[in-house]
Structure formats: structure tokens, C-alpha cells
Amino acid sequence: MSEIASMLVTHRTASIDEIETAWHGDVETILKWVRSQDRVEECAVLKTCNRVEIYVVAPRGERVLFDLAKKARVSSRIIDFHNHDESLLHLLRLASGLESMIIGEDQILGQMKELTQIAMRAGTTGWMLETAFKKAIQVGKRVRKETRINERSVSVGSAAVDLAEEILGDLKGKSVLVIGAGETGELISRSLLCREIGSLAVTNRTLSSAVCLAESLGGEAVPFEDMPCRLHTADVVISATSAPHYILLKSDIEEAMAGRINKLLIIDIANPRDVDQDAAEVPGVELHNIDSLKNISRENMMQRMAEAARVEEIITEELQLLQAKYKRKEAEELLARLYSQAEQIKDQEVRKAMNKLSARHTLGEIEQQVLCDMSRSIVNKILSEPTKSLKSAAERGDLEILKSLCELFRLEEKT
């Protein structure tokens, strides 16, 4: 019987280098490849700056995923494999912010919605995964409404600003360049405005996006081709684009540092990375990436962890409801096969009875209808109590009864 299984490469088990190289290609490419594998009925991919998670619906799903990882040459050392119930629990925890690098961050909810929609548009999801992700998003919203898990720093973007402040001691009067005008770039920029910085410049490959963000925040939009010049005067650079390659090479940084005395702090929170790691060798440059965020905002995290107990209660409650829904679905599928089998037998026997009666008497429409109604009523009454018992057993998680029903009535799903 098919169930959900997942494999996760996240900041908990892997470095940023390992996450970047774990799965090649964009989400659509990975979806297409996973869906093309034998036995995979549904699939979805969550790919963010600090995680790549693949979900499948398949018989023996964990085995399927293990084979996928082997084909992709991803080390099992950095992968967590989850079965059905573990996958559901993880999804609810993830949407609630408990699995994020920054506990309680809000950005994961939007990412989850977007990536689920990508999978749905690609036609790789069905009832099983759509039910799980829909529930996860609902739980994430409930958690943020009923608890304070998302107070203080709420994203990797704002955590990057916290890191800059921690390293420099104070951002007051500093000149900051933000590379990227997407959602993360906006979060970074808004967080910077609370730090009394000296100036904010935003650059983006699409200038109109940089202009829109900069104008809304009172900053300056910088054409992407002018970015190297702006590096020369910036105190802090925070980069968060979705570029598939480096946008800042070591040579760019060397040129920017020529003739300047002040130190340049660069924080690269993109995945794949925006900044060539060799840039850290340039004198006067301090370069950090996502791995550096793991050690910041400990006080904020302690406050959020105090809320985690209430979040766990909500997750436990919602997980039970979700599991019951899957169990009811499993029972309903078995019952559908049972009723279909009974319907076929009923039709065969009614035809036999009508043929025998027709050989002696003329059967009118009324007589035929009476025979059909009577046989249908007998089937429904015989199966009524077993139906109630089976649904109840499914909700209790009594899989032995479901298995016994399959064996007694030979209800193995046809392949």
C-alpha cells in the first residue's frame, strides 16, 4: 500500500556546501526526475537556502528514496529518511517554524505555499501530498496566531542583519549594500532600517525591482552593472539572490578593496552562494555565509523556545486529526473495493435469477426492479455493520483488521 515517505538534507545534518551539491537543477527539474522513477505516484520538493526535501507517495517509499539518493550520489550520511508518520510530523513542525535555522521564522510558510503550487502545476501531486501540505500550512498559520513563536528575528534575512550588528558592534551610520530585491532582500532591507544605518543601497539584476524596493524604504537603487563601484564605499554587503552562479568573484572584491582602509563585511545567505569563497582571502574582507547564522541570536531563540511547548501541543493535536484522515481514506478505499466486488456478485446472481424466471414467466419492469432493489438492500444491510467497524478500526490505527479484510475477501489492489 502506498504511503508518504521523505528524505531531507537540511542545516541540521549538512553544511551549506553539502546542501548546495545535494541535488542538481531547479525544483521543476528535480520534480520531473523524481516523478519519472518507477513506483513513484506523487512527489513534491521543498528547496530553500538551508534545506532540500523530497517527498514521494509510493509503495515502500523509503526504499524508493534510498535508491534515488544512490542514483544522485548523495551521501546517506547527510540525509534523514522519514516514513509516513515521521514525514507528516516533520511537515507540521517545519510549517510551524520548529525545524528552521531561526526558530519560528515566517518565511518558510510562503516558501512552502510556493513550492507546493509548483508541484501542483507540474502535475506531480495528488490527494495524499496535497492533503499533507494543506494541513501543514493551516497548522503553521494557527501556531503563529495562537503563540508568540515568531516574535523578534523572524527570518534568515533579519538574522543576517543581527549577525552584521554582532560582528561590527553597531550598524549606526554604516553604508549597507543589499544585493537582491526579492522577498529575502526586502526582509533584510526592512530589518536594516531599524538599525539607524547611514545609507541603504539596493541592487538587482532587474533594475525596476530594485527601484520599487528602494523607493518604498527611502533607499537608493543601484544598477546591477554599477555594483562593483558601490562595493568600494560599502561597509556591509548582504547578498541574497537566486542566481545559479557567483555574482561576485574574488577579482571583483580585490578591485573594490584597492585603496580603501576600512574593513568590508560580506554576508552571503544565498543558495547557491552569490560570493566566491576565495574572496575571504582578500585583505580587509570578512566573509560569512548561512553556516555563520547558526550561532547568532541565542537570547531570541531562548525566548522562542519557551513558546515551543505550546506549539508542540498544537502539532500533536493536529497530527492526530491528519492521521485519522489518512486512516479513514485507507478504510474508504478498501470498502470501495469490497462494495465493488459485492456489486459484481449481486449483478451476476440477479441476472441468473432473471434468466431462470424468464424461462417460465414473462418478467415485467416492476418485477425486475423489485429483484434489483431487494438484492441491493441485502448487500447494503450485510455490509453495514462491517463498514462501521472497519472505519472505527482505521481511526484507531488497528491495521490488523484492515489486513484481515483484504485477506478474507481477497481485496488486493490490482496493479
Side-chain angles (χ1 to χ4, degrees):
M1 189 170 291
S2 298
E3 289 190 319
I4 296 173
S6 60
M7 60 178 169
L8 326 172
V9 178
T10 75
H11 63 93
R12 293 184 182 278
T13 57
S15 67
I16 185 65
D17 283 331
E18 291 169 326
I19 294 172
E20 282 183 9
T21 58
W23 304 101
H24 301 290
D26 56 20
V27 171
E28 289 88 347
T29 301
I30 299 173
L31 280 170
K32 185 176 179 181
W33 179 67
V34 174
R35 185 65 181 86
S36 68
Q37 306 301 307
D38 290 340
R39 295 176 287 169
V40 175
E41 300 166 9
E42 301 179 32
C43 65
V45 174
L46 291 178
K47 194 169 190 276
T48 71
C49 59
N50 52 27
R51 68 182 62 251
V52 182
E53 303 184 354
I54 296 178
Y55 295 80
V56 300
V57 174
R60 298 185 64 200
E62 286 181 272
R63 179 74 249 180
V64 171
L65 290 174
F66 183 82
D67 291 342
L68 279 176
K70 193 173 180 181
K71 287 181 182 178
R73 297 183 179 178
V74 181
S75 171
S76 59
R77 176 185 61 80
I78 63 171
I79 301 178
D80 285 327
F81 292 95
H82 287 175
N83 62 24
H84 182 80
D85 286 336
E86 291 167 343
S87 297
L88 296 182
L89 175 59
H90 173 76
L91 268 176
L92 299 194
R93 288 178 57 84
L94 180 61
S96 299
L98 295 186
E99 294 293 331
S100 297
M101 184 182 294
I102 309 300
I103 298 295
E105 60 101 351
D106 291 331
Q107 197 173 5
I108 188 62
L109 264 186
Q111 292 168 332
M112 189 176 285
K113 288 179 188 176
E114 180 183 353
L115 293 166
T116 303
Q117 289 168 358
I118 290 173
M120 291 172 69
R121 286 196 298 269
T124 63
T125 58
W127 184 87
M128 292 278 285
L129 284 179
E130 288 171 17
T131 296
F133 279 94
K134 183 178 179 180
K135 168 62 80 172
I137 292 168
Q138 288 174 344
V139 172
K141 290 178 179 178
R142 179 186 170 190
V143 161
R144 286 161 179 80
K145 182 178 180 181
E146 297 183 15
T147 75
R148 296 183 297 171
I149 192 70
N150 61 334
E151 289 188 357
R152 309 285 296 258
S153 292
V154 294
S155 70
V156 172
S158 57
V161 176
D162 286 346
L163 176 61
E165 191 170 45
E166 183 177 300
I167 291 170
L168 299 179
D170 189 357
L171 293 180
K172 187 174 183 179
K174 300 296 184 184
S175 174
V176 184
L177 172 64
V178 176
I179 306 175
E183 184 179 357
T184 302
E186 181 177 355
L187 288 168
I188 293 167
S189 301
R190 292 190 182 281
S191 184
L192 283 166
L193 292 181
C194 303
R195 302 317 205 273
E196 299 182 24
I197 61 174
S199 66
L200 170 66
V202 179
T203 188
N204 194 69
R205 194 170 294 278
T206 303
L207 180 59
S208 58
S209 298
V211 169
C212 183
L213 177 58
E215 287 182 350
S216 69
L217 301 176
E220 176 189 358
V222 176
F224 199 74
E225 58 271 19
D226 294 343
M227 178 178 58
C229 296
R230 185 52 65 102
L231 288 174
H232 187 71
T233 57
D235 297 306
V236 180
V237 175
I238 304 179
S239 191
T241 79
S242 56
H245 49 70
Y246 292 145
I247 61 172
L248 284 177
L249 302 176
K250 182 181 179 182
S251 57
D252 298 321
I253 308 300
E254 287 175 330
E255 185 177 341
M257 295 302 293
R260 66 177 277 170
I261 301 173
N262 295 339
K263 173 177 147 181
L264 174 61
L265 172 62
I266 303 175
I267 300 176
D268 179 8
I269 60 173
N271 183 14
R273 282 176 287 190
D274 285 338
V275 184
D276 183 352
Q277 288 298 286
D278 290 342
E281 300 170 3
V282 178
V285 172
E286 183 172 351
L287 175 61
H288 292 267
N289 58 37
I290 289 176
D291 285 339
S292 302
L293 301 185
K294 294 178 181 178
N295 300 318
I296 69 169
S297 301
R298 295 190 183 278
E299 181 181 346
N300 289 0
M301 292 305 99
M302 290 299 292
Q303 291 183 20
R304 291 189 175 199
M305 289 306 294
E307 291 291 301
R310 172 59 185 143
V311 174
E312 295 280 11
E313 290 176 5
I314 293 174
I315 290 173
T316 298
E317 174 189 327
E318 294 284 359
L319 179 62
Q320 290 173 349
L321 295 174
L322 181 57
Q323 288 171 326
K325 191 168 188 176
Y326 281 111
K327 289 167 183 174
R328 284 195 300 271
K329 180 72 171 178
E330 186 176 344
E332 287 166 3
E333 290 174 352
L334 279 178
L335 286 167
R337 296 206 292 273
L338 177 59
Y339 274 82
S340 176
Q341 178 177 293
E343 189 73 13
Q344 290 176 8
I345 295 171
K346 180 208 75 175
D347 289 344
Q348 291 171 2
E349 295 306 313
V350 167
R351 281 196 298 272
K352 287 180 184 178
M354 285 185 179
N355 289 337
K356 288 180 181 179
L357 290 171
S358 296
R360 296 175 176 273
H361 308 284
T362 300
L363 287 179
E365 289 185 9
I366 294 177
E367 289 84 353
Q368 292 181 37
Q369 189 62 49
V370 167
L371 281 172
C372 288
D373 291 345
M374 180 188 68
S375 59
R376 184 178 299 109
S377 178
I378 291 171
V379 169
N380 289 339
K381 287 183 177 179
I382 288 174
L383 296 181
S384 175
E385 288 305 317
T387 296
K388 294 177 186 176
S389 297
L390 185 63
K391 287 183 177 180
S392 177
E395 291 191 13
R396 293 195 310 271
D398 190 346
L399 301 182
E400 286 303 314
I401 290 184
L402 274 65
K403 183 179 178 182
S404 297
L405 183 77
C406 284
E407 293 176 353
L408 283 170
F409 292 93
R410 299 185 182 278
L411 297 177
E412 291 83 1
E413 195 168 6
K414 301 295 186 292
T415 58

